[in-house]
Amino acid sequence: MSSPVSYALHDTVGVITIDNPPVNALSQAVRAGIVDALEQAASDSSEAVVIACAGRTFIAGADITEFGRPPQEPFLPFLLDQLEQHPKLTVAAIHGTALGGGLETALACNYRMALSSAKVGLPEVKLGLLPGAGGTQRLPRVAGAQAAITMIGSGDPVSASKALAWSVIDRVVNDDLLTEAISWAKELVASGAPQRKACDETFTLSDDDRQLIETTRQALNKKTRGEFAPQRALDCIVAAAELDFKAGLKRERELFIECMSNPQAAAMQHMFFAEREAAKVDGLDRNTPKVTIQKVGIIGAGTMGGGIAMCFAQAGMHVTLLDRDEDAVAQGIARIEKNYAISVKRGRLTDDQVSAIMGNITPATDYQALADADLVIEAVFENLAIKQDVFRTLDGICKDGAILATNTSYQDVNAIAAVTQRPEWVLGMHFFSPANVMRLLEVVRGEKSNDTVIATAMAVAKTIGKTPVLAGVCYGFIGNRMLQPYFRETSLCLIEGATPAQIDGAMERWGMAMGPLAVGDLAGLDIGYKAREQLSDAEKGNPASYLVADRLVEAGRLGQKSGAGYYRYDPETRARLDDPDVMAIVEATSAELGITRRAISDEEIVDRLTLALANEGARILEEGIAQRASDIDVVYIYGYGFPRFKGGPMHNAEARGIAEVVARINEFAETLSAENWQPSQLLLDLAASGGKLRDVKAH
Ligand code: 3HC
Ligand code: NAI
């Protein structure tokens, strides 16, 4: 097999070119190729060496697919030591993104040049790791404390101009990178420039720097709550100041291995690939034609319609926002303006940017305004008859080839499509609230939706910055369907003995962004109440799973919007406060239902809630509603505040062991409720065969 690394002399400069598509990751073959090329350059007539990459980017890091397998020599730290100690002057020529091991490679060169469009970063913390090939020791020595703390702590890449200002790189050029790098290498040699080595630089931390580390630690404790790697990454920067280079490298390696052995790393790497996989639709031809989306109609200027309009308008598309009358649409526009005023106040957007975005939104009350829309998204009240009326109207007005989408949370997309003469152009596009913020988009394929409709929806999701996941039609699709058993177990834990603070506290300490009862208060308890009003007693199920919520609503406690729900909310700070009145309602309801309250452990709460999700997720997979287990993980991480470092409910179950999960579910079936805790057939089959959720493909 030919090497992904080639070496050629360009006059007096040896050029090492890495060509390992798609992102020039440092696979074993690349590492070996670079070692060989460095050896060649050491003994030929070259006076300097340039490291450059073919294709769309400089090295984007270690090859993540190799993690978790036995490491193979040559190891990256060894290679970078060879590079740093190379007898010839070395220059990195960076285009695209130099990330992780890629930037570490550049930092081991004597000089760094980048295209102005390039970005550089050390994103390892996002994979549950820290830079493990000298990045935490070389970057502070090259660029100082602020750059190192910011880049290593956050993992966010920085632009070439920022990197230049911080001295991470030395020169920026606009084009002809390789030619420029070669001639610069010659110049450096000719001028007798020294072979600068990061390892020889000294690095100290001033009092201000130490203060910055402390404030960064606190900020990261909030932002990356529960994550193992970020604090260790900062420890390495402290080590860079306190230890010599060699000892610092040793410390970095120890902490890198600690991170790599922590289950969080596997979970976060799983999410890296899960996110990318989610965008792919099995069986869909890559060349499926897509509709070009320029004009978007949105029906319903309420909470969701307004947020959805913002997404498309921000992406530069023309949006017509329609509601029933002038008042309703004006209110919708005013709500959008209010949102943007906050963004301006926070410095996220300028007045000019907001004017440009608002210029993309045209209010309307007449459906005729949607006649030439390429895509129409309906976000009216959650009622099948109303939605069907809207689709009948759209069918009569919209041009051929327009895509008609519903943002329904629970209604049957097929029943909505069926009222039109073009059900193949109908699908669900289920956004999450607030729609302008939440990254998840469930793309719901109706039984007749055609391939163009699905391919276009997946593509346009990316254009507006969403992470799309394909779902089939069922009550609640993927995410909301799984919420049902999750909320059922929440309510049961409450009525059997736990308090709201205990349930939410247990889930939040475990890693959820917000506990389930606090989520209920945020969304509004009246929503579920109104939905239950439409159901028969049999459909509502066991009263223990909803009676407390009903009583809270009947007592005027609708959640945050009324100042009280499962908690009371401080009118000033909006902090949630325990409320004895709630416990009085809970205890009275337990007594009325003949339930003897008992102590429930945090572990039981977490197991009941997370396994309820995994069991329903397995059913969803079994039924082909989701394409793959990892898609379900993406839904929960981007739509429901599930912690990324646990990898989603399905990865979490897999990491725990499917046999153990089934055993715990069976235990709950015996001790709690056989009806609620039937293990899904898929979990039973996998437990018996030793198979993996990650290998299950929906048909
Ligand atoms: N290893 C293996 N595969 C990788 C990879 C990596 N480091 N980075 C990207 N890929 C794969 C993706 O999985 C995807 O594969 P697919 O086409 O089969 O789905 C393909 O490359 C293209 O990736 P994207 O779809 O993400 O392409 P974009 O153009 O949108 O983004 C990118 C390119 C900015 C480089 C982005 O892929 C990225 O951020 N990659 C990860 C960078 C990273 O985290 N590097 C650090 C690795 S850890 C490390 O270096 C440890 C060291 O300190 C020892
Ligand atoms: P909302 O009540 O805030 O807004 C609905 C809007 O639709 C109102 O402005 C109303 O005037 C308008 N409307 C009603 N009938 C209409 C018609 N025939 N023609 C034109 N406009 C009409 O409701 P919300 O919360 O925005 O929900 C809309 C849809 O989005 C529902 O299907 C809901 O299930 C779904 N959804 C809601 C989420 C949420 O968290 N609020 C999350 C995801 C989906």
Side-chain angles (χ1 to χ4, degrees), residues 130-390:
L130 48 84
T136 67
Q137 304 305 298
R138 288 193 179 93
L139 184 62
R141 283 176 166 81
V142 164
Q146 195 200 350
I149 295 165
T150 312
M151 289 174 67
I152 294 172
S154 71
D156 294 333
V158 298
S159 64
S161 57
K162 184 86 193 168
L164 182 67
W166 273 345
S167 310
V168 180
I169 53 178
D170 308 290
R171 264 198 190 193
V172 172
V173 293
N174 288 323
D175 42 33
D176 290 334
L177 176 67
L178 186 60
T179 316
E180 294 278 358
I182 292 172
S183 67
W184 188 38
K186 286 182 185 169
E187 262 173 50
L188 287 165
V189 171
S191 66
Q195 276 187 261
R196 288 181 334 186
K197 293 179 190 168
C199 64
D200 293 339
E201 306 284 333
T202 49
F203 171 60
T204 52
L205 284 171
S206 66
D207 287 348
D208 281 354
D209 296 336
R210 286 189 190 274
Q211 186 55 44
L212 180 62
I213 291 191
E214 265 329 294
T215 48
T216 307
R217 277 195 194 283
Q218 284 158 20
L220 287 175
N221 259 338
K222 267 199 196 151
K223 197 170 164 218
T224 60
R225 185 169 56 88
E227 286 180 27
F228 185 80
Q231 300 292 335
R232 267 85 195 163
L234 294 179
D235 290 347
C236 289
I237 299 175
V238 175
E242 293 176 352
L243 304 174
D244 67 30
F245 183 72
K246 219 170 139 201
L249 279 185
K250 190 163 165 266
R251 184 74 190 125
E252 179 194 83
R253 181 98 314 236
E254 286 161 4
L255 290 174
F256 178 78
I257 288 169
E258 265 186 41
C259 290
M260 195 61 122
S261 338
N262 189 297
Q264 291 189 3
M268 292 172 85
Q269 287 152 31
H270 160 77
M271 282 314 300
F272 176 84
F273 290 114
E275 241 174 89
R276 283 156 180 80
E277 199 65 14
K280 296 171 193 161
V281 177
D282 290 339
L284 191 75
D285 191 326
R286 289 185 68 180
N287 300 319
T288 303
K290 298 184 194 80
V291 176
T292 306
I293 307 290
Q294 279 163 342
K295 294 185 180 163
V296 181
I298 292 169
I299 307 173
T303 312
M304 293 306 291
I308 298 168
M310 291 167 79
C311 299
F312 286 95
Q314 279 162 216
M317 287 176 242
H318 186 81
V319 176
T320 302
L321 182 59
L322 181 144
D323 208 301
R324 291 176 293 181
D325 51 47
E326 302 285 346
D327 259 10
V329 79
Q331 271 179 34
I333 297 277
R335 234 187 333 261
I336 296 175
E337 281 170 343
K338 204 170 140 200
N339 274 332
Y340 281 132
I342 296 171
S343 304
V344 170
K345 209 167 147 197
R346 294 192 177 150
R348 293 202 191 116
L349 289 173
T350 62
D351 282 325
D352 285 353
Q353 284 169 319
V354 169
S355 301
I357 296 168
M358 289 309 296
N360 289 338
I361 304 179
T362 310
T365 52
D366 181 353
Y367 275 79
Q368 213 57 49
L370 306 178
D372 64 348
D374 307 305
L375 165 68
V376 179
I377 301 176
E378 164 279 308
V380 304
F381 299 138
E382 183 67 4
N383 173 296
L384 182 61
I386 299 179
K387 287 183 187 292
Q388 286 177 322
D389 261 357
V390 168

Side-chain angles (χ1 to χ4, degrees), residues 434-473:
N436 54 316
V437 174
M438 298 294 284
R439 277 200 38 198
L440 179 64
L441 176 66
E442 283 182 333
V443 172
V444 185
R445 173 154 60 185
E447 62 187 4
K448 300 208 169 135
S449 314
N450 69 28
D451 284 356
T452 288
V453 164
I454 298 302
T456 306
M458 298 299 282
V460 83
K462 283 206 147 186
T463 313
I464 59 169
K466 302 292 173 200
T467 300
V469 174
L470 186 73
V473 174

